[in-house]
Amino acid sequence: MSVDVSTNDDLQTRLREALAALADRDALIAQRDAQITEMAAVGAYRAARIKVLEAQMAAMNRALYGRRSEQLDPAQRQLFEESLEEDIVAIQTELETLKESPSAQRRQPKRLPLPEHLPREEVRHEPASCTCTQCGNALTPMGEDVTEQLDCKPAEFFVRRHVYPKYACRACETVTAAPSQASVIERGRPAPGLLAHVLVGKYADHLPLYRQQQIYQRSGVELARSTLADWTGAAGVALMPLVSAMKADLLQRPVIHADETPVALLDPGAGKTARAYLFAYCATDGPPITIFDFCTSRSGEHAKNFLGAFRGHLVVDDYAGYKALFAENITEVGCWAHIRRLFFELHAAKASAHAEPALRQIAELYRIEAEIKGLDPPERLARRQRDAQPVLDAFEQWIDNLLSAASPNSGLAKALAHTRKRWPALVRYVDDASLPIDNNPVERSIRPIAVGRKNWLFAGSKAAGERAAAIMSLIATARQNGHEPYAYLKDVLTRLPTHPDRRIAELLPHRWG
């Protein structure tokens, strides 16, 4: 029996092909198994990482948006919140990356449009050639795509040249020229814009002069720190009359808020710094005004000297320095935010189960105030009498009942006793629609000082402290009235040298514009 050689070869070929196909299939299966194992590991990592990030996100959101500790310094909290917000955005970005499938496109975040008032510098990106790369024919315009990016450049310095042409009359032998422009610093080199920039940098952006000097050096401008100090001092002296006029307006207001905060004062004789104080006075009925008064101590005499013949309502905490004022026809108004802080500290420390009911009753008073904000005075007074008075009556009864049973030396007893002692001043706002529930306006005005005093380090002298207080008063009031401090100070420093004293009110920040 003969065997067909061609048939045998064909079978051998088919067998080899089948074996090769099986080998390819096994290799593919092994490759897919490896990919599945790798994907499972990646998936497990992602799931674990997502859990960690979500836990971190929840903790950060609680820290940022949850109940806040009233013990944290406001300036520290501002820096803390900025850091938290940066971390939250970073975690959100990583979470989005982990939750997306590898092939999915990342969701584009919603962006606010760039401000229309900013100048535009156009950069055109034309093709390398105006002919088609496929056929060589000329290209026809069909529109354009536009992408906008926000950009900036460091501080730009320039020299402002004031040229005064002189003209002669040959007939009468006289010379005519425009009068030279007056300046806050006579024969000085700084223009009003640069002076305003230095003042805002130091007292609004908390940049001490040595840091400003370094910034200017990067722009190729050498300015000695002593020169910057001289400019700051001269500008402060020139601006003092504005603060005096602003103080006269403040003392005409029926309600003034007052508070104080410590600052350091250089004591050359002792070779160290002494503690001085910035007293802050604020009025918000009408265009807001804030004035800082630099004092070498915390004595109540400083407040008495500043307020002078003022006979309105004074909103303060329980600092003893103000007590003498209330015997001179000034009416004390208490601060519920201060009382709330006492009970919050007890609650945060878990020192008393009674702190939370107190906080709930105080929160009800604030809820009522939020509802009646913006109402006409008669309607606001009626709502306070109708809604807030019963809450206050119940709260007073609750305090009296609890105070007799509280341990005398406990934190709760101290908080209750303090609230009871302050009660007449605390409830005064209910009977007068013009009175506020707390002293928060002046506390907000003091808040930037906590940042600034870490950067100024100290006031070099009492006069320097008074000049700094004057400049900060103008900046704070300009901000409260919606003015950009640099624009305000530049305009005032330009106009001040020739502005009539009788029209000084036109330059005050709460009347400017």
Side-chain angles (χ1 to χ4, degrees), residues 179-192:
S180 60
Q181 187 178 28
S183 174
V184 168
I185 301 178
E186 291 297 337
R187 298 180 299 277
R189 299 175 67 187

Side-chain angles (χ1 to χ4, degrees), residues 482-500:
H483 305 314
E484 202 283 311
Y486 171 79
Y488 167 71
L489 285 176
K490 180 183 177 183
D491 180 67
V492 167
L493 290 169
T494 301
R495 296 163 58 186
L496 190 59
T498 58
H499 198 79

Side-chain angles (χ1 to χ4, degrees), residues 119 121 152-160 193-194 197 215-216 218-221 486:
E121 293 184 6
C152 73
K153 57 182 70 173
E156 273 191 317
F157 289 85
F158 63 95
V159 177
R160 188 183 297 278
L194 180 56
H197 190 272
I215 293 171
Y216 299 155
R218 294 201 296 269
S219 295
V221 176
Y486 171 79

Side-chain angles (χ1 to χ4, degrees), residues 497-512:
T498 58
H499 198 79
D501 290 343
R502 67 181 182 277
R503 292 167 46 198
I504 196 74
E506 297 173 5
L507 302 183
L508 303 185
H510 61 290
R511 298 186 179 187
W512 181 74

Side-chain angles (χ1 to χ4, degrees), residues 258 279 281 300-308 310-312 314 316 319-332:
F279 281 73
Y281 302 92
E301 284 297 312
H302 299 301
K304 182 178 180 180
N305 293 336
F306 181 92
L307 293 171
F310 173 73
R311 292 298 179 265
L314 189 65
V316 292
Y319 169 52
Y322 300 114
K323 297 301 181 186
L325 300 173
F326 305 132
E328 300 182 5
N329 298 319
I330 293 179
T331 305
E332 180 183 14

Side-chain angles (χ1 to χ4, degrees), residues 136-366:
N137 287 329
L139 297 174
T140 302
M142 56 169 291
E144 58 189 15
D145 295 326
V146 178
T147 301
E148 289 193 336
Q149 295 177 316
L150 188 63
D151 204 349
C152 73
K153 57 182 70 173
E156 273 191 317
F157 289 85
F158 63 95
V159 177
R160 188 183 297 278
R161 299 184 71 229
H162 295 275
V163 180
Y164 300 93
K166 295 186 291 185
Y167 298 91
C169 176
R170 296 184 183 278
C172 58
E173 298 182 348
T174 58
V175 176
T176 300
S180 60
Q181 187 178 28
S183 174
V184 168
I185 301 178
E186 291 297 337
R187 298 180 299 277
R189 299 175 67 187
L194 180 56
L195 275 179
H197 190 272
V198 172
L199 296 181
V200 170
K202 181 173 183 179
Y203 295 112
D205 298 331
H206 316 300
L207 288 171
L209 294 180
Y210 80 90
R211 291 187 190 169
Q212 294 192 51
Q213 179 191 30
Q214 294 168 351
I215 293 171
Y216 299 155
Q217 284 175 340
R218 294 201 296 269
S219 295
V221 176
E222 293 287 343
L223 290 173
R225 198 186 318 172
S226 59
T227 300
L228 295 174
D230 290 344
W231 292 353
T232 301
V237 170
L239 292 170
M240 292 287 278
L242 275 71
V243 181
S244 297
M246 197 161 65
K247 176 182 175 181
D249 278 3
L250 175 78
L251 296 180
Q252 297 301 314
R253 302 291 181 88
V255 181
I256 294 178
H257 299 256
D259 202 357
E260 69 289 330
T261 188
V263 292
L265 171 65
L266 184 63
D267 184 359
K272 57 183 180 180
T273 59
R275 171 167 286 200
Y277 282 84
L278 273 179
F279 281 73
Y281 302 92
C282 178
T284 58
D285 54 324
I289 299 174
T290 292
I291 296 181
F292 297 104
D293 186 31
F294 182 86
C295 303
T296 54
S297 73
R298 202 185 180 192
S299 168
E301 284 297 312
H302 299 301
K304 182 178 180 180
N305 293 336
F306 181 92
L307 293 171
F310 173 73
R311 292 298 179 265
H313 290 82
L314 189 65
V315 189
V316 292
D317 58 19
D318 195 39
Y319 169 52
Y322 300 114
K323 297 301 181 186
L325 300 173
F326 305 132
E328 300 182 5
N329 298 319
I330 293 179
T331 305
E332 180 183 14
V333 180
C335 173
W336 274 103
H338 180 73
I339 301 301
R340 179 176 58 188
R341 193 171 299 127
L342 294 177
F343 287 103
F344 183 89
E345 290 172 358
L346 289 174
H347 178 67
K350 296 183 173 55
S352 173
H354 297 290
E356 187 173 348
L359 290 173
R360 283 201 301 267
Q361 293 178 85
I362 296 172
E364 179 63 15
L365 296 175
Y366 274 89

